[in-house]
């Protein structure tokens, strides 16, 4: 996964809370929990970027979904129950697909523990997978990316 972008200058950060049940018998963080942490961060970005409202404004009778179509994940270091960890997520505009680069980082040392590249399609109930998107949605995503750069 060396080709993945490890440069995460403009990202959204979320504090993650580990529970005993998040770990397997061998003491490692369960992969499904990692995916859930990443999913939460992606949905938070979609909410912050007002993506759902943007689609609702386009067509009140349609329903939008953001399915993961590809995910690469690399576990770089183990995560232990007593660690304080955060997730860092950045969105890259590869419209009509959304590319997220995500990591789980040790809050104290700053070391990247898990890194993922996630490609998300934009799908509507009426139109299926979108191969192009309208200007309002482009503006919504671009505005969000500019806001992140300024913070």
């Amino acid at each position: 996964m060396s080709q993945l972008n490890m440069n995460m200058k403009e990202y959204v950060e979320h504090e993650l809370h580990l529970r005993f049940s998040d770990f397997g018998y061998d003491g490692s963080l369960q992969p499904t929990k990692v995916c859930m942490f990443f999913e939460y961060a992606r949905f938070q970005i979609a909410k912050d970027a007002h993506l759902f409202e943007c689609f609702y404004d386009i067509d009140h009778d349609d329903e939008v979904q953001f399915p993961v179509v590809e995910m690469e994940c690399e576990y770089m270091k183990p995560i232990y129950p007593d660690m304080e960890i955060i997730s860092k997520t950045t969105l890259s505009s590869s419209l009509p697909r959304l590319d997220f680069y995500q990591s789980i980082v040790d809050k104290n040392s700053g070391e990247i523990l898990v890194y993922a590249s996630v490609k998300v399609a934009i799908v509507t109930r009426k139109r299926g997978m979108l191969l192009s998107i309208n200007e309002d949605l482009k503006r919504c995503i671009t505005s969000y990316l500019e806001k992140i750069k300024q913070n």
Side-chain angles (χ1 to χ4, degrees):
M1 195 175 316
S2 58
Q3 73 275 15
L4 293 179
N5 178 9
M6 295 295 285
N7 186 8
M8 297 181 69
K9 292 178 189 170
E10 295 131 12
Y11 59 84
V12 176
E13 190 173 294
H14 295 97
E15 190 161 333
L16 304 175
H17 302 283
L18 297 171
R19 295 179 298 192
F20 181 74
S21 62
D22 297 339
F23 294 85
Y25 293 114
D26 62 353
S28 63
L29 185 64
Q30 296 180 26
T32 55
K33 192 62 179 182
V34 171
C35 291
M36 288 173 60
F37 285 150
F38 287 153
E39 181 179 40
Y40 171 78
R42 289 192 307 273
F43 271 89
Q44 191 61 46
I45 285 176
K47 181 180 171 187
D48 293 347
H50 305 288
L51 295 182
F52 297 107
E53 294 93 335
C54 188
F55 268 100
Y56 184 73
D57 290 344
I58 294 167
D59 186 347
H60 296 298
D61 297 327
D62 207 351
E63 177 182 300
V64 66
Q65 297 177 356
F66 299 94
V68 171
V69 293
E70 184 180 319
M71 180 176 187
E72 291 183 55
C73 191
E74 184 174 345
Y75 291 79
M76 301 170 90
K77 295 199 176 215
I79 299 174
Y80 300 108
D82 62 342
M83 294 177 90
E84 291 183 56
I85 59 174
I86 55 176
S87 72
K88 293 184 177 186
T89 304
T90 189
L91 170 63
S92 175
S93 172
S94 301
L95 300 174
R97 185 185 72 220
L98 303 175
D99 293 342
F100 292 90
Y101 299 96
Q102 301 184 266
S103 64
I104 294 178
V105 177
D106 183 316
K107 187 175 179 179
N108 297 317
S109 71
E111 286 185 283
I112 295 176
L113 308 170
V114 181
Y115 184 78
S117 167
V118 182
K119 293 175 178 26
V120 176
I122 303 172
V123 178
T124 71
R125 186 170 38 85
K126 285 183 179 178
R127 294 174 281 167
M129 186 163 64
L130 301 183
L131 300 178
S132 65
I133 60 174
N134 71 18
E135 290 304 314
D136 290 336
L137 184 58
K138 283 182 187 177
R139 223 179 345 269
C140 203
I141 293 169
T142 303
S143 171
Y144 174 77
L145 292 173
E146 288 172 4
K147 182 178 96 174
I148 293 299
K149 285 181 184 180
Q150 293 173 0
N151 291 340

